[in-house]
Amino acid sequence: MLWLFVLIVLVAGGGLATLYANQRKLQYFPSTAVVVPADWGLPDFSVVTVTTADGVGIDGWYAPAAAGRPTVVLFHGNAGHLGLRADKARVLRDAGFGVLLAGYRGYGGNPGQPDEPGLMADARAQLDFLVEQGVSGQRVVLYGESLGTGVAVRMATERRVGGLVLEAPYTSMTDVAAAHYPFLPVRLLLRDRYDSLSRIDRIAAPLLVVVAQRDAVVPAALSDTLFRAAPEPKYIVRLPGAGHNDMMEHGLAEVVVDFVATLARPAGRAEPVVIEQERTRGTAIIPRP
């Protein structure tokens, strides 16, 4: 029977080696289609190209803010391309905010292959672009969506910003993978960990966390854990009927716009506060009297 045991070990070992070598193909789901803002109902957005520290040219979509309004930088989730975030961009733009839909390598016609160091380099280059436009510091709100929450948290520890919005955030990608694949040693194998939990205590900006209570991709418990570890001021909104991909249908846009608008108020005005309400959206942000 020793030969059977050895065979099982060899097969299992070979499978894990293959999984380790190909894990990024299993972790990221980019669309390589080349897209432009006008085709997605964003004619007032321009394609802006930045060059990262490692020499990769990355396209993002940008619309400047109205006078005195903040600029929201959206780091999108795992699948698709920038066009699939056009609904969020339009809502933010209609509120008068500037919007930068940050592109990633390997997505939407951008060169390269996505990985954690690369996405961080892409984010830094696009934030540097805003600095060149005279937009930085308190005039910038970082908005991370799912995978992009790991990017947003990291940037919020490296840059001084006016606010941070995290939609369906996780503690780390290893925790998400372990929740879905408890039979695999993902904590040993995973390269791109996006460990937000180890960084969240270093952010120095007001934080909004929005949780989909029926999220089948990022367990809501991970979002709650990350929120508890964050410093004040922080606010959480739970959307009871929402899943990972339909949060816009359950009030996400209104919550985010209210939060960003509150941050943009002149110093000395009311700060946001979260209250419980008896309605399907769960909690809401309102100004303190």
Side-chain angles (χ1 to χ4, degrees), residues 2-268:
L2 179 60
W3 67 269
L4 180 58
F5 174 75
V6 172
L7 179 61
I8 292 173
V9 170
L10 289 175
V11 170
L16 290 176
T18 300
L19 182 63
Y20 181 79
N22 294 282
Q23 61 180 271
R24 284 176 174 140
K25 294 180 181 179
L26 301 173
Q27 186 173 357
Y28 300 95
F29 303 98
S31 168
T32 58
V34 178
V35 293
V36 295
D39 290 345
W40 290 86
L42 300 174
D44 51 339
F45 280 67
S46 300
V47 177
V48 295
T49 304
V50 301
T51 301
T52 66
D54 57 344
V56 181
I58 300 296
D59 287 350
W61 296 359
Y62 178 57
R69 306 292 277 173
T71 294
V72 179
V73 183
L74 176 62
F75 298 111
H76 68 76
N78 195 357
H81 51 63
L82 295 181
L84 299 178
R85 281 75 192 180
D87 54 347
K88 293 177 183 175
R90 174 49 54 203
V91 168
L92 295 167
R93 185 71 181 138
D94 287 348
F97 308 139
V99 181
L100 175 59
L101 295 182
Y104 299 150
R105 61 190 63 201
Y107 286 76
N110 286 325
Q113 297 296 322
D115 59 22
E116 183 176 2
L119 266 59
M120 298 304 175
D122 300 342
R124 293 184 188 105
Q126 287 165 104
L127 292 177
D128 288 344
F129 162 78
L130 286 182
V131 174
E132 294 168 0
Q133 306 304 305
V135 182
S136 61
Q138 294 299 312
R139 297 173 64 191
V140 173
V141 177
L142 304 182
Y143 180 175
E145 169 196 295
S146 190
L147 170 70
T149 64
V151 181
V153 169
R154 177 70 175 268
M155 293 303 104
T157 67
E158 296 183 2
R159 310 280 177 124
R160 184 175 181 83
V161 297
L164 177 63
V165 177
L166 300 179
E167 173 191 331
Y170 46 84
T171 47
S172 70
M173 198 59 73
T174 50
D175 289 339
V176 176
H180 287 283
Y181 306 104
F183 50 87
L184 292 176
V186 293
R187 298 188 187 281
L188 297 176
L189 297 176
L190 202 62
R191 295 176 181 175
D192 295 345
R193 297 173 177 265
Y194 296 93
D195 188 358
S196 292
L197 187 61
S198 70
R199 300 185 176 105
I200 195 69
D201 64 340
R202 302 202 302 273
I203 67 171
L207 168 68
L208 169 66
V209 170
V210 187
V211 184
Q213 292 294 88
R214 300 179 64 183
D215 199 322
V217 178
V218 176
L222 297 184
S223 300
D224 290 341
T225 297
L226 187 70
F227 176 78
R228 287 194 297 270
E232 298 284 354
K234 59 183 179 180
Y235 315 98
I236 190 165
V237 174
R238 296 182 176 87
L239 305 180
H244 191 77
N245 295 314
D246 65 353
M247 296 173 73
M248 286 288 286
E249 300 171 17
H250 294 267
L252 171 69
E254 179 183 344
V255 168
V256 173
V257 167
D258 286 351
F259 177 73
V260 177
T262 303
L263 295 177
R265 288 178 178 154

Side-chain angles (χ1 to χ4, degrees), residues 190 231 253 280 284 286-287:
L190 202 62
T280 57
I286 61 167

